[in-house]
């Protein structure tokens, strides 16, 4: 039986990825560095330090002789300056209803202060567990963030459902042994093909979450197959 719902933040709860990408683009340009915005979307869900490190290495930067912390600090300031917080209304409306039936968590790869600010401003009092990229040693696609949420719930992984919108998050949910429901907010449906269930948009996402009684049998079967696959 499903007892816990775990939500990614950027692209699932709040329409914020364009601001993350724009902030990084501004900082990279100011420092004379180049980056491909699509790389940020492709790595969505990963910890900030992992995304920035990848972008720098792709540009040929030697991380051993570079002020990585300084760049990340500048990115945080730029993000805070330009971001306009906007929750996905469909999710905002259904979460109080879901909270009556399930434990709720948000698991994000973003920095702790960004996650806390967004959740406090848009979803205050909704989530039982909040995990940022700074709260785990290994971020998505490792299963650690989702397993940590289940542990804080006091639940088994098989009792949790993950809502994701990024390939890294889908992989992490699969590796955690959790049913994964995905919505293609910023990426193609093809990139999310490994999710257990894929919906077209946030309205469909809300409808499925509110109808989880019908989804539980599907989730149970998917988790059974994942378990037997892992034993081979």
């Amino acid at each position: 039986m499903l007892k816990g719902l775990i939500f990614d933040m950027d692209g699932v709860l709040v329409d914020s990825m364009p601001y993350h990408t724009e902030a990084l683009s501004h900082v990279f340009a100011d420092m004379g560095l180049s980056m491909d915005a699509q790389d940020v979307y492709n790595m969505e869900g990963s910890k900030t330090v992992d995304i920035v490190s990848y972008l720098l290495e792709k540009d040929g930067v030697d991380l051993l002789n570079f002020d990585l912390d300084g760049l990340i600090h500048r990115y945080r300031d730029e993000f805070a300056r330009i971001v306009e917080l906007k929750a996905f209304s469909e999710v905002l409306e259904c979460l109080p209803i879901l909270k009556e039936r399930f434990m709720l968590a948000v698991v994000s790869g973003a920095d702790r202060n960004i996650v806390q600010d967004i959740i406090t401003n848009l979803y205050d009092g909704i989530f039982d567990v909040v995990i940022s990229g700074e709260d785990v040693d290994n971020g998505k696609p490792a299963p650690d963030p989702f397993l940590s949420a289940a542990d804080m719930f006091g639940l088994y992984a098989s009792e949790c459902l993950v809502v994701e919108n990024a390939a890294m998050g889908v992989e992490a949910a699969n590796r955690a042994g959790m049913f994964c429901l995905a919505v293609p907010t910023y990426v193609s449906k093809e990139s999310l093909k490994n999710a257990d269930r894929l919906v077209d948009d946030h309205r469909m996402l809300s409808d499925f979450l509110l109808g989880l009684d019908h989804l539980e049998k599907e989730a149970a079967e998917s988790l059974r197959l994942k378990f037997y696959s892992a034993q081979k």
Side-chain angles (χ1 to χ4, degrees), residues 78-199:
E78 181 65 5
F79 177 82
R81 185 183 72 82
I82 66 173
V83 69
E84 296 179 11
L85 297 180
K86 180 182 178 183
F88 288 103
S89 59
E90 300 89 348
V91 179
L92 186 62
E93 292 166 3
C94 78
L95 281 178
I97 300 172
L98 294 169
K99 187 172 177 63
E100 296 178 359
R101 299 169 53 200
F102 302 98
M103 299 183 72
L104 304 179
V106 56
V107 171
S108 173
D111 297 326
R112 185 182 299 114
N113 64 321
I114 292 177
V115 175
Q116 290 176 341
D117 286 347
I118 290 176
I119 297 304
T120 299
N121 278 283
L122 298 179
Y123 293 96
D124 193 31
I126 293 293
F127 292 98
D128 303 291
V129 171
V130 177
I131 296 175
S132 74
E134 295 176 87
D135 296 324
V136 292
D137 291 331
N138 301 306
K140 306 172 190 177
D144 304 36
F146 293 136
L147 293 175
S148 178
D151 184 60
M152 294 175 73
F153 279 157
L155 300 177
Y156 294 110
S158 59
E159 296 175 308
C160 299
L161 177 149
V162 171
V163 182
E164 265 289 349
N165 76 306
M168 295 284 190
V170 171
E171 181 179 347
N174 287 335
R175 293 173 64 184
M178 298 179 181
F179 185 89
C180 186
L181 180 64
V183 56
T185 314
Y186 308 117
V187 297
S188 68
K189 288 185 178 181
E190 177 65 20
S191 67
L192 303 176
K193 64 182 180 182
N194 290 327
D196 296 291
R197 193 65 179 259
L198 181 63
V199 295

